[in-house]
Amino acid sequence: GQQLNQSPQSMFIQEGEDVSMNCTSSSIFNTWLWYKQDPGEGPVLLIALYKAGELTSNGRLTAQFGITRKDSFLNISASIPSDVGIYFCAGHPGANSKLTFGKGITLSVRP
Amino acid sequence: DGGITQSPKYLFRKEGQNVTLSCEQNLNHDAMYWYRQDPGQGLRLIYYSQIVNDFQKGDIAEGYSVSREKKESFPLTVTSAQKNPTAFYLCASSRAGLAGGTDTQYFGPGTRLTVL
């Protein structure tokens, strides 16, 4: 079945820095979703993308739906300590298909 | 205040016992889902329901059972047949089911089940 690749597994950045993470697939997706999960909590939807090439912002977060429909990018600008957590991408291949999740990237922010 | 609630937050079970995890949503969503999360792994789908009184097995349904008698409720029972039940369980819902093709899912806060 479809798989979403997120790497590296962990990222370490300094407070104030920008960070970029991507999510790739070997197959086409119709929807890309980005979630953030804090320890012991459920994932929270950050940004949803529904159209190839779409660029959407949510505060300091910006995400893009890749033109090829096989990838998506999430950028966090001017990181702050509360940005720590696990960032998951998820993709929907289309009608009558289940949502596919990446394994997540754990982000650490050094003050 | 709309959202998804899961209870309890923490649950302890003795080996050989069945246990039921609660999931309620007031978002008026048609579809609901149960996932299991283990350290270092992605989310794995246990069961999903696209409409009341209907549900389908996900990728790891063995040892689990569900019901969908009401639109807003989708309880998960972890049976004694589940060999390794200790995990973090997440419930989610979406406005449309799989046929909708976009399926933006919203998650509850999770229940951590520990088998003693």
Side-chain angles (χ1 to χ4, degrees), chain B residues 87-108:
Chain B
F88 191 50
Y89 290 88
L90 288 161
C91 178
S93 71
S94 63
R95 184 173 55 84
L98 302 186
T102 54
D103 192 29
T104 300
Q105 294 183 19
Y106 299 87
F107 286 86

Side-chain angles (χ1 to χ4, degrees), chain A residues 56-108:
Chain A
T56 298
S57 293
N58 178 8
R60 293 178 296 106
L61 277 61
T62 301
Q64 185 161 26
F65 193 139
I67 290 290
T68 65
R69 295 169 63 193
K70 292 183 179 182
D71 57 13
S72 178
F73 303 87
L74 176 70
N75 295 302
I76 304 173
S77 63
S79 59
I80 59 178
S82 62
D83 288 335
V84 301
I86 303 175
Y87 290 81
F88 289 98
C89 64
H92 199 286
N96 297 311
S97 297
K98 292 173 287 211
L99 197 60
T100 301
F101 290 86
K103 291 190 176 183
I105 294 175
T106 300
L107 179 67
S108 299

Side-chain angles (χ1 to χ4, degrees), chain A:
Chain A
Q2 295 95 346
Q3 287 188 331
L4 292 182
N5 301 307
Q6 288 187 266
S7 65
Q9 191 172 359
S10 302
M11 299 180 77
F12 300 85
I13 61 173
Q14 198 76 30
E15 183 178 357
E17 287 182 344
D18 299 345
V19 62
S20 181
M21 49 189 83
N22 68 341
C23 185
T24 61
S25 171
S26 58
S27 52
I28 289 171
F29 284 78
N30 287 348
T31 302
W32 288 95
L33 308 171
W34 284 93
Y35 294 89
K36 179 185 180 235
Q37 185 178 27
D38 291 329
E41 299 295 330
V44 174
L45 182 67
L46 299 174
I47 293 178
L49 303 161
Y50 301 106
K51 188 177 173 182
E54 180 181 355
L55 184 71
T56 298
S57 293
N58 178 8
R60 293 178 296 106
L61 277 61
T62 301
Q64 185 161 26
F65 193 139
I67 290 290
T68 65
R69 295 169 63 193
K70 292 183 179 182
D71 57 13
S72 178
F73 303 87
L74 176 70
N75 295 302
I76 304 173
S77 63
S79 59
I80 59 178
S82 62
D83 288 335
V84 301
I86 303 175
Y87 290 81
F88 289 98
C89 64
H92 199 286
N96 297 311
S97 297
K98 292 173 287 211
L99 197 60
T100 301
F101 290 86
K103 291 190 176 183
I105 294 175
T106 300
L107 179 67
S108 299
V109 179
R110 291 187 289 260

Side-chain angles (χ1 to χ4, degrees), chain B residues 59-85:
Chain B
D59 301 317
I60 55 166
E62 186 176 351
Y64 300 98
S65 66
V66 294
S67 63
R68 186 87 186 277
E69 296 176 1
K70 297 186 295 183
K71 186 176 185 177
E72 59 271 21
S73 179
F74 191 40
L76 172 74
T77 296
V78 184
T79 75
S80 57
Q82 169 49 233
K83 299 301 180 191
N84 185 21

